[in-house]
Amino acid sequence: MDDPYQNNVNQQVTEGGDYTYTQDGGGHDGYPYQTDYPPQDEDARSDATEGADEDNQMYEGEYQGIPHPDEIKEARRAARAEARRKARMAAQQEEEEDILPEQYENIMEDCGHGRFQWMLFFVLGLALMADGVDGFVVGFVLPSAEKDMCISNADKGLLGLLVYVAMMVGALVWGGLCDKMGRRKCLIYVLTIDLVFSFLSCFAQSYGFFLFFRFCSGFGIGGSIPIVYTYFTEFLQMDKRGEHLSWLCMFWMLGGLYASFTAWGIIPHYGWGFSIGSEFQMHSWRLFILVCLFPALAALIGIVFMPESPRFLLENARHDEAWMILRRVHDTNWKAKGEPERVFTVGNIKTPQTQEDEFIEIQSDTGTAFQRWTVRHMTMLQQVMANVMSLSAPELRLQGLFLVIVWFCMAFSYHGLGVWFPDMIKYMQYEEYESKVRVFHRERVERFHFNFSLVNQVHREGEYVHDKFANIEMKSVKFESSLFENCYFEDIKSTNTFFENCTIKNTVFYNTGKIQKLQNGEHHFSPPKKGCHLNFQEENDIVIYLVSFLGSLAVLPGNIISALFMDKIGRIRIIGGSMLVSSACTFLLLLSFSQGAVICWQCLFYGASVAAWNGLEVISVELYPSSKRGTAFGILNGICKFAAIIASFIFAAFIGVTKIIPIFLAFAALVCGGLVALKLPETREKILS
């Protein structure tokens, strides 16, 4: 007799055409369908089980936002894989970074040192010379500009402060940008900004515009020093760096000589100018600013024909461009040496891996050009800031701290004494004048022709009636509470001449910078601003130009010595020895009681200290890797400008009070910096990392 359950199974097989099984309540665990029946196809599933797939079932924790365990495992696997990938890339990049410096040094040795480096040397030297000139311009033109634009003492101090602040900001900004945009491109921007705004300052008739243009010019030229040294370093082989970077420093000295010589030859000649009406006046000091643009203009023209630094291109994975430039350097040098048959044999240069997408571009249709520009430059700013923060890495932190201390101490003493020397000489001249001043009290002069110069005189409560002042010079003359009635002033040349609380009636001023005819009875003559002179004629004291000229010339022996011995005795001994010798020179300033003695010790100090400057600039570009070299040098140069600002205020405050405190501060700073410099690592045999 047939089993009813088996009949039911067979019926399902016959009617369904497939194997199906529905277990009834009795259960038959031992039947052969568990192993012999083939697996079911997805389309053959019954209505009762449709939609109940395990993959389609909803994870009950999903309602509560809890990740599925499988998702967590997958995320962990992906994270581990990404970590392994990054570790492999880091190891590969570290290996490549170790290979590139050695390979690049070998390439530069094969290229040799010759015509190409000397061409670049003179072009970058002109850029450095432009920076040196700019450091003297404001100091030379202020004595004339303060009369032309009636600048008060407070405004004069503001001008000097803002120019140094602009240079400090420029060094920080352009130093960082040259590591991201390129040395050559940033140097072109720097020189262009300096040229444009310096040119505009020549024609500025108001103090506000003059201040703004000089600030912008300072922001531009402030970035030249970090870029120039970084740029030139990357074209030099190891055994040439110290010597040729020291020779390059001489151009800063040439800038000081050029500025002093041209100021001496142009500014005192008041007639070298022109005016258009009474509103636009082009006097000799403006022509001096115009002449001071020539080094920057020549450098800009030259740098246009120079290539980008190949080391910068290699650091940014621009292999082909770097190879072409290195081949150009090689062929230029060996052709000039009479060996044009030499072939550049370098085939492949190992470059470090960089991110393919350096800048974030907006690719959507709604993205405007302005949006793309904003994103690009904001990204660059973030990269520069990341570069700055990376300088605090443990391997760079200690040497960076030592360098900051040495730069600050050197700049504080050098620039502080740079302010103190000329001001001290002026103060000695003033004391000498004060001891010989002649005072006239309540004199009455009537119908008299003054045809002789008035020098170092004070006239109080005098009366001058029907008098004529013609073709004379007034130097350090002051009229206080005096009466001028029916007088005539013509062709007057004056320096430090003041009319304070004077009453002027029916008096004519002709050819004294402006024509002023005072009529209609009584007139109280008061200048537009306190301290504004009778006219706009200026006879600058030639001693100040001579002091600046001699101070710039005095660094020549120190430059030569440092260049010859930089690679022989090392950077550290040059820096430490120079700063300690300079401290001895400052101490001897206590024995100077005359203008001649101050000038003598000034020249000795500048000659001794320039070797320390050269050593600092050489070691600063050698200590840091190529990707951070401009950023680090820009920060150090910005600290230098900051120290100069502080020192100028401190040292100027003690002029006429005491000379012991400024000299002691300079002495202490130099000794401290010299001792700390001995802790710096020696880099004369270090390959550029």
Side-chain angles (χ1 to χ4, degrees):
M1 185 175 180
D2 294 334
D3 189 340
Y5 183 82
Q6 182 67 39
N7 291 337
N8 187 35
V9 170
N10 292 335
Q11 185 179 2
Q12 290 181 11
V13 171
T14 302
E15 293 179 0
D18 239 335
Y19 291 96
T20 61
Y21 168 66
T22 304
Q23 185 176 358
D24 58 7
H28 299 269
D29 296 335
Y31 284 97
Y33 67 83
Q34 294 180 338
T35 57
D36 295 340
Y37 289 180
Q40 299 174 352
D41 291 336
E42 186 175 350
D43 294 339
R45 291 173 182 171
S46 65
D47 294 340
T49 61
E50 186 176 356
D53 303 0
E54 183 179 351
D55 293 342
N56 293 333
Q57 288 181 358
M58 183 173 290
Y59 170 57
E60 63 180 15
E62 188 172 348
Y63 290 110
Q64 304 173 10
I66 301 174
H68 194 281
D70 292 342
E71 295 179 1
I72 297 175
K73 293 177 183 178
E74 194 65 32
R76 288 175 179 171
R77 292 193 197 101
R80 286 194 295 269
E82 180 67 16
R84 286 193 297 270
R85 187 185 67 83
K86 289 183 177 180
R88 286 194 299 269
M89 288 184 63
Q92 182 182 0
Q93 184 172 355
E94 185 177 353
E95 181 182 357
E96 291 169 352
E97 288 176 353
D98 291 339
I99 295 173
L100 177 60
E102 188 74 35
Q103 188 179 14
Y104 189 81
E105 180 64 30
N106 294 335
I107 293 172
M108 293 311 301
E109 289 178 357
D110 292 341
C111 291
H113 188 92
R115 175 181 292 177
F116 182 89
Q117 279 84 0
W118 285 112
M119 290 191 300
L120 185 64
F121 173 81
F122 285 108
V123 171
L124 296 181
L126 288 171
L128 198 60
M129 183 177 174
D131 181 86
V133 169
D134 229 55
F136 287 89
V137 166
V138 172
F140 285 155
V141 304
L142 263 181
S144 299
E146 66 175 321
K147 300 173 180 61
D148 202 346
M149 294 184 286
C150 295
I151 304 174
S152 66
N153 289 331
D155 288 338
K156 284 194 296 182
L158 180 63
L159 176 60
L161 171 64
L162 286 181
V163 168
Y164 264 99
V165 170
M167 287 184 172
M168 178 181 71
V169 175
L172 296 171
V173 172
W174 293 111
L177 288 177
C178 80
D179 281 335
K180 294 300 176 184
M181 297 173 59
R183 294 35 167 145
R184 175 180 174 272
K185 182 185 290 187
C186 284
L187 188 56
I188 290 174
Y189 289 158
V190 159
L191 294 173
T192 302
I193 292 172
D194 177 52
L195 277 170
V196 169
F197 288 101
S198 293
F199 180 78
L200 293 175
S201 70
C202 298
F203 304 96
Q205 298 297 305
S206 68
Y207 175 69
F209 279 110
F210 183 76
L211 185 67
F212 173 74
F213 292 145
R214 293 312 305 178
F215 179 87
C216 295
S217 171
F219 172 75
I221 202 63
S224 62
I225 291 181
I227 300 173
V228 163
Y229 283 101
T230 301
Y231 193 6
F232 192 51
T233 299
E234 293 171 350
F235 281 96
L236 297 174
Q237 57 200 65
M238 182 175 62
D239 58 343
K240 300 287 185 181
R241 280 200 309 263
E243 178 185 353
H244 288 273
L245 286 174
S246 298
W247 289 126
L248 186 67
C249 295
M250 290 185 64
F251 280 92
W252 205 92
M253 173 204 73
L254 294 177
L257 293 175
Y258 178 83
S260 303
F261 186 76
T262 53
W264 192 352
I266 295 176
I267 294 179
H269 296 277
Y270 180 73
W272 293 10
F274 60 89
S275 61
I276 302 176
S278 60
E279 296 298 325
F280 183 84
Q281 298 173 350
M282 188 75 176
H283 295 144
S284 57
W285 65 269
R286 299 179 185 273
L287 294 178
F288 165 70
I289 296 178
L290 202 59
V291 171
C292 286
L293 298 180
F294 292 160
L297 179 61
L300 180 60
I301 295 173
I303 201 65
V304 169
F305 298 98
M306 292 291 110
E308 181 57 85
S309 163
R311 185 61 183 269
F312 166 79
L313 296 174
L314 290 172
E315 292 289 341
N316 288 272
R318 294 160 65 179
H319 174 275
D320 293 344
E321 296 175 66
W323 188 90
M324 293 296 293
I325 293 170
L326 289 169
R327 180 181 176 181
R328 173 183 170 184
V329 175
H330 176 276
D331 294 348
T332 301
N333 288 341
W334 289 111
K335 184 178 180 180
K337 294 176 181 179
E339 299 183 43
E341 68 279 0
R342 285 220 182 192
V343 179
F344 186 60
T345 57
V346 176
N348 183 44
I349 307 173
K350 196 72 173 178
T351 56
Q353 295 290 331
T354 58
Q355 294 181 356
E356 295 180 0
D357 188 13
E358 287 289 338
F359 299 108
I360 300 173
E361 294 284 356
I362 298 178
Q363 300 295 341
S364 64
D365 296 335
T366 58
T368 63
F370 175 75
Q371 287 175 312
R372 289 193 294 271
W373 182 90
T374 303
V375 170
R376 183 183 299 114
H377 288 81
M378 288 302 296
T379 305
M380 180 180 293
L381 179 61
Q382 293 173 2
Q383 292 173 342
V384 171
M385 293 305 299
N387 224 12
V388 172
M389 298 305 296
S390 67
L391 293 175
S392 61
E395 64 272 15
L396 300 175
R397 189 180 303 155
L398 187 59
Q399 64 189 28
L401 177 62
F402 287 158
L403 262 182
V404 167
I405 293 173
V406 178
W407 270 86
F408 184 89
C409 291
M410 188 66 206
F412 180 83
S413 57
Y414 184 89
H415 290 287
L417 289 177
V419 171
W420 187 83
F421 283 130
D423 284 356
M424 192 64 187
I425 292 171
K426 288 180 182 179
Y427 179 73
M428 289 179 172
Q429 290 177 333
Y430 174 77
E431 282 191 324
E432 184 179 352
Y433 258 77
E434 284 291 307
S435 64
K436 299 177 181 179
V437 67
R438 299 175 62 190
V439 180
F440 300 88
H441 190 67
R442 290 187 177 180
E443 63 175 351
R444 179 179 175 86
V445 181
E446 189 172 354
R447 300 186 184 280
F448 186 78
H449 182 194
F450 288 85
N451 57 1
F452 52 87
S453 296
L454 305 179
V455 180
N456 200 21
Q457 299 177 4
V458 176
H459 300 263
R460 296 193 179 106
E461 299 181 8
E463 294 182 6
Y464 304 90
V465 182
H466 293 287
D467 293 328
K468 183 177 182 180
F469 300 79
N471 298 310
I472 66 171
E473 177 185 5
M474 294 183 178
K475 186 175 182 181
S476 299
V477 178
K478 182 185 291 185
F479 295 95
E480 298 179 355
S481 303
S482 299
L483 170 67
F484 293 86
E485 186 173 357
N486 295 317
C487 293
Y488 187 80
F489 290 81
E490 182 179 4
D491 294 328
I492 307 296
K493 296 169 64 178
S494 71
T495 303
N496 295 327
T497 300
F498 299 89
F499 288 71
E500 294 185 356
N501 300 320
C502 293
T503 302
I504 299 176
K505 298 180 180 179
N506 300 321
T507 295
V508 175
F509 293 84
Y510 181 75
N511 197 22
T512 59
K514 284 185 177 180
I515 299 176
Q516 299 183 9
K517 189 171 183 179
L518 308 177
Q519 299 176 340
N520 301 325
E522 185 176 292
H523 180 88
H524 292 276
F525 182 83
S526 59
K529 289 185 180 180
K530 185 177 180 181
C532 213
H533 291 64
L534 168 67
N535 65 354
F536 298 97
Q537 172 67 31
E538 170 61 19
E539 183 181 296
N540 283 281
D541 196 340
I542 294 179
V543 174
I544 300 303
Y545 300 135
L546 180 62
V547 168
S548 299
F549 185 86
L550 292 177
S552 299
L553 189 62
V555 306
L556 180 60
N559 263 317
I560 295 175
I561 293 173
S562 64
L564 295 177
F565 292 96
M566 188 68 71
D567 289 320
K568 291 182 174 62
I569 67 175
R571 288 77 162 121
I572 303 306
R573 292 179 182 176
I574 289 284
I575 298 171
S578 174
M579 294 185 75
L580 294 176
V581 172
S582 301
S583 66
C585 296
T586 60
F587 187 75
L588 293 174
L589 283 170
L590 293 171
L591 305 177
S592 59
F593 300 100
S594 64
Q595 298 179 42
V598 172
I599 294 174
C600 178
W601 291 119
Q602 175 198 18
C603 294
L604 188 60
F605 171 76
Y606 284 157
S609 61
V610 70
W613 279 121
N614 293 355
L616 273 176
E617 284 152 353
V618 172
I619 199 173
S620 296
V621 294
E622 291 178 333
L623 273 178
Y624 290 95
S626 297
S627 60
K628 303 175 178 62
R629 186 169 294 127
T631 304
F633 204 115
I635 292 174
L636 293 171
N637 198 249
I639 290 171
C640 170
K641 297 297 188 294
F642 178 69
I645 293 171
I646 296 175
S648 62
F649 281 104
I650 294 176
F651 280 68
F654 290 101
I655 297 295
V657 179
T658 179
K659 63 182 181 181
I660 296 177
I661 295 179
I663 291 173
F664 175 78
L665 289 174
F667 174 80
L670 287 168
V671 171
C672 175
L675 295 177
V676 173
L678 299 177
K679 296 291 186 179
L680 291 170
E682 182 56 68
T683 58
R684 61 175 160 167
E685 296 182 355
K686 182 178 186 295
I687 295 176
L688 291 180
S689 59

